[in-house]
Amino acid sequence: MPVASRNADEEFPVWESRDMNTLHLLGSSLDKALLKLRERSEAHVIEPLRPARL
């Protein structure tokens, strides 16, 4: 999977940088990536940021 291509739902995959030299796929969308982050978090609470217009 390319690092910056959109999927069928027009979403980008989410990658995580580990050890400053490797990328690991967290999920094919932000929703899927957040589920993985919640699973490995001790707090199990990860609040999304409020949307903001740039």
Side-chain angles (χ1 to χ4, degrees):
M1 175 182 287
V3 175
S5 65
R6 293 178 189 255
N7 64 16
D9 295 325
E10 294 296 313
E11 293 199 36
F12 287 104
V14 178
W15 296 85
E16 173 185 40
S17 174
R18 295 182 187 167
D19 300 322
M20 300 293 286
N21 62 356
T22 60
L23 290 176
H24 295 267
L25 181 64
L26 282 180
S28 59
S29 68
L30 185 57
D31 291 334
K32 291 179 183 177
L34 283 176
L35 287 175
K36 284 187 180 178
L37 291 173
R38 284 186 184 127
E39 287 172 1
R40 69 181 197 202
S41 170
E42 292 179 14
H44 294 286
V45 176
I46 299 175
E47 294 293 327
L49 296 174
R50 291 182 183 174
R53 193 173 289 221
L54 298 177

